Amino acid sequence: GRKSELDNRMLRFSEEENDAKERKRKAEENLKGIRNHIADLRDRSAALEGQGADLQSQIRDENQNLDALHREFHRDSSRLDSLRTINEHYEGYGNAIKKVMEQKGRNPGIYGVVADLIATEQNIEVAIETALGGSIRNIVTDNESTAKYLIAFLKMNHYGRATFLPLTNVRGRKGLDRKDALREEGVIGIASDLVTCQKIYEDLRNQLLGRTIVVDTIDHAIQIGRKYNHSLYMVTLQGESFSPGGSITGGAFRNKENLLGRKREIEELERSVKEHRKAMEMSQALIDEKRDERNKLRDEIVKIGGKIHGETT
């Protein structure tokens, strides 16, 4: 009986040992699984952190872009504000013209100064301004009685003098006598053809600019002048002017008022400010989108960290 008891005990021990081995094997397998899982989680976390760093760098770049857009927007906005103020107050025109133009809202017979009523390409502006001379500041009215009334208004208040151009006095005057001069080297065209305006002012434009030829350089203008016995009105792109009789006017401009360019520059700045505003909105939306993405990644990384912590404790 004792031997069989020993045999039974040995069998039990052996079974227990096998159980223990099996448990150990399972535990090791389990541990290996956990370790693999933790390694996977850490890999995933590292990959997400990489993506997060990438997004962070994109956000930084886009922020720099937005700052640059802000600076350009503010620069253009303040230039636009100051130009609008200058334009509204007719700065650069003298007191009498300012005082007359302040009446424009109350007096429909005041159409505006010549510079307000015509437009041209930027590269031609200096030539056209030169061709117009003092008449660029003339005040265009509907008729003579409006002009007469405004002259009395200036006199009465001691505001100074202004020149008026009643549209009823404008005859559109015949154009250029020597059309053949337009074929000469360096000629860009007749000044009146290089200017745009509303239909109502076309005769005025032709009267003021219809006999002046725009030439690219002073050298070409001198050659043309000689050839046509100094019988032509000419202006160059740099602002020299040639009168019949042979006189040439030129030199440096004292005041860079650029009366013709104001309106164009205001329009350009309005466009540019609008485009900058749109670009800033798009840039901000992109930053917000990337921030959301980055924050989601951060939440995900925190969750993974929690899982790793749970597995290791």
Side-chain angles (χ1 to χ4, degrees), residues 1-2 19 25 35 38 47 73 80 90 92 107 113 127 132 166 191 193 205 233 243 251 253 263 265 285-286 300:
R2 185 159 175 92
D19 271 359
R25 190 184 64 75
R35 279 190 183 133
I38 288 173
F73 174 77
L80 179 59
Y90 284 86
N107 190 334
V113 292
L132 287 168
D193 293 345
R205 173 193 67 185
Y233 288 98
S243 298
F253 288 100
K263 201 167 53 180
E265 199 181 340
L286 189 61
E300 179 92 351

Side-chain angles (χ1 to χ4, degrees), residues 245-258:
S247 67
I248 305 173
T249 306
F253 288 100
R254 243 207 334 273
N255 43 358
K256 290 299 288 165
E257 269 143 10
N258 190 8

